[in-house]
Amino acid sequence: MSDIRPMALRAVMTALVVCGMTACAISPGNPSYSSRDQSDNKIPVKKGDEVVPENVKVRQINSELIIDMYKSARPFREVGVGASKETAKATPVDPAAKVGDYKLGPGDIITIIVWDHPELTTPAGSFRTAEQAGTVVSEDGTIFYPYAGVLKVAGRTTREVRDALAAKLAKFIEKVQLDVRVAVYRSKRVYVVGEVNRPGNQEITDIPMTVLEAVNRAGGFSTEADFSRVLLTRKGSTYRVDIQAMYEEGATEQNAMLEPGDIVNVLDRSYNKIFVLGEVLKPGSMLMNKKRSTLAEALGDAGYINQEKASPRWIYVMRSDDDTPELFHLDGRSPDAMLLADRFPLKPRDIVYVDASDLIRWNRVISNILPTSQMLNLTSGTKYPLFGGRQ
């Protein structure tokens, strides 16, 4: 009877070892994963108008892939990052569109100068500022002026107001000469919020205001701003403006012309993270600098792979920034593979995973089995006095 128990114990241990060896073949990074050239788990993939689960193909990071990526690179970024497809629309900019003259609105203050008639130009004295001596456009869009009476000026340019006043004053002044200027702009404004140094509203003047001009008036971008994710909200729709593409790639069409009531929201760069996981010295997340980072840089910032535990053969990049997730594999056993890694650009939210070596995986399985085996061995050698010393 005592001989049977050690044999049973050895059988249990053998089964556990076999199970441990089998477990090494079901986690990512093993040869069978690469030989199938697709993911083990089904990932949501958009097919037409539907999202369906599907195994994603694993693409090898080699020179052919790098060349194809450079050939297919777009001249500037057109896809809204960090916003839904419905709200991140193309920027409504027409480079050939002409901006008209400024049109007056309620709250604006205008100065009317009638030559050779100071009593009409500055009736309250000559020591007042243009704002104090000016004429305020009322809420109904009208002004009152001597001899002209009540005049509708809202929606008109200063040239149109000048012509209308001249026609009315001509009845009382021979060869009237006058000029109309805007002293203070108060009727039209845009709002700049988010990662700028001085958020708030900005008045629209006779100088057309673009997104970049509004940001500059707000003190410029803060240190946490994402130049490529500036959201422009207009009449219930949101558009993404990529200022970084304008700086680096000359995409001037990204610099949208603003309209009254627009909201410019500069997003922070917390979205632009990449994650380096697995057998590296410093796993975790890291922020990209203006969306520029390569696989080699990410591995270097993470302290490179753990030489004692990692398997350089199994380095993966997992990407899901759009409707078609992608998986990439790099065989980094040779040092010159890092040349490919340095030419492989990463995107925000990419996951870099370095798998463990086969020996480390085996040792981890054994370390989990040993406590159980020691307990079974101790139990098999224990005698129980209550049962006559039988084991």
Side-chain angles (χ1 to χ4, degrees):
M1 186 73 173
S2 60
D3 294 336
I4 297 177
R5 292 193 185 95
M7 293 178 61
L9 178 61
R10 284 194 296 269
V12 171
M13 288 297 299
T14 302
L16 289 174
V17 170
V18 172
C19 290
M21 296 177 65
T22 305
C24 293
I26 62 175
S27 57
N30 55 79
S32 62
Y33 180 82
S34 178
S35 63
R36 287 197 299 270
D37 290 333
Q38 63 180 9
S39 62
D40 284 341
N41 299 317
K42 292 184 180 296
I43 302 175
V45 178
K46 188 172 183 179
K47 294 286 188 179
D49 295 333
E50 297 183 357
V51 178
V52 298
E54 188 175 275
N55 295 96
V56 178
K57 180 182 179 181
V58 180
R59 304 174 64 185
Q60 300 300 317
I61 300 178
N62 49 34
S63 59
E64 289 79 8
L65 175 65
I66 301 297
I67 293 173
D68 290 341
M69 293 178 67
Y70 274 91
K71 287 182 178 180
S72 60
R74 289 172 291 187
F76 61 92
R77 304 164 187 83
E78 297 175 339
V79 179
V81 179
S84 65
K85 296 291 182 180
E86 290 74 18
T87 59
K89 306 178 181 68
T91 308
V93 178
D94 182 5
K98 295 182 179 180
V99 179
D101 294 335
Y102 181 85
K103 294 183 178 181
L104 298 173
D108 285 337
I109 300 178
I110 60 177
T111 299
I112 303 173
I113 302 172
V114 183
W115 302 105
D116 296 330
H117 290 274
E119 73 281 1
L120 294 177
T121 301
T122 54
S126 59
F127 297 99
R128 304 176 68 189
T129 64
E131 181 176 353
Q132 294 172 340
T135 302
V136 181
V137 181
S138 62
E139 290 298 323
D140 60 358
T142 62
I143 63 170
F144 173 81
Y145 199 73
Y147 302 108
V150 177
L151 183 66
K152 182 75 171 181
V153 299
R156 291 183 174 184
T157 65
T158 55
R159 183 174 59 254
E160 293 171 342
V161 174
R162 181 191 63 195
D163 295 340
L165 277 174
K168 289 183 175 292
L169 294 179
K171 301 176 183 178
F172 307 95
I173 302 175
E174 185 179 359
K175 295 181 179 180
V176 60
Q177 297 184 55
L178 61 86
D179 190 16
V180 178
R181 302 173 184 173
V182 181
V184 181
Y185 298 89
R186 300 193 306 185
S187 65
K188 300 176 179 63
R189 60 179 60 89
V190 298
Y191 306 90
V192 185
V193 297
E195 295 299 328
V196 291
N197 291 317
R198 295 193 302 272
N201 56 45
Q202 303 290 333
E203 306 295 341
I204 294 180
T205 66
D206 56 336
I207 301 176
M209 185 185 298
T210 62
V211 173
L212 187 57
E213 174 69 17
V215 171
N216 289 336
R217 289 190 188 182
F221 293 103
S222 69
T223 55
E224 294 299 317
D226 183 357
F227 291 23
S228 65
R229 298 175 65 232
V230 180
L231 300 185
L232 169 60
T233 302
R234 174 179 299 169
K235 298 177 181 178
S237 299
T238 300
Y239 308 86
R240 186 180 71 91
V241 179
D242 193 342
I243 299 297
Q244 183 175 341
M246 187 181 66
Y247 284 162
E248 299 178 354
E249 301 160 7
T252 56
E253 62 271 20
Q254 294 290 304
N255 196 17
M257 196 69 64
L258 297 181
E259 297 179 359
D262 284 353
I263 301 175
V264 178
N265 182 14
V266 181
L267 301 183
D268 60 68
R269 62 191 185 107
S270 60
Y271 177 84
N272 298 335
K273 282 186 176 182
I274 53 178
F275 307 91
V276 184
L277 308 176
E279 301 302 331
V280 293
L281 294 180
K282 295 182 294 185
S285 63
M286 57 188 69
L287 282 171
M288 302 177 71
N289 182 21
K290 295 183 180 180
K291 291 187 177 180
R292 290 193 294 263
S293 184
T294 64
L295 177 56
E297 288 177 329
L299 293 174
D301 292 340
Y304 198 56
I305 63 177
N306 191 326
Q307 299 288 348
E308 298 178 354
K309 297 181 179 180
S311 174
R313 183 180 181 184
W314 308 114
I315 301 175
Y316 294 96
V317 177
M318 309 173 192
R319 176 172 300 164
S320 60
D321 65 332
D322 51 23
D323 296 328
T324 306
E326 297 177 285
L327 298 179
F328 303 92
H329 167 245
L330 174 67
D331 187 347
R333 286 178 294 181
S334 61
D336 56 3
M338 289 300 103
L339 294 175
L340 293 174
D342 189 46
R343 303 292 294 273
F344 184 85
L346 296 179
K347 294 183 179 181
R349 318 307 292 183
D350 277 358
I351 301 174
V352 179
Y353 178 79
V354 180
D355 201 5
S357 64
D358 294 338
L359 181 60
I360 293 299
R361 297 160 67 87
W362 165 252
N363 288 337
R364 288 173 178 171
V365 173
I366 293 300
S367 65
N368 290 327
I369 294 177
L370 281 178
T372 302
S373 64
Q374 292 172 354
M375 182 193 67
L376 293 175
N377 184 49
L378 179 63
T379 303
S380 65
T382 302
K383 294 184 179 181
Y384 304 97
L386 293 177
F387 298 96
R390 292 176 298 171
Q391 294 183 355

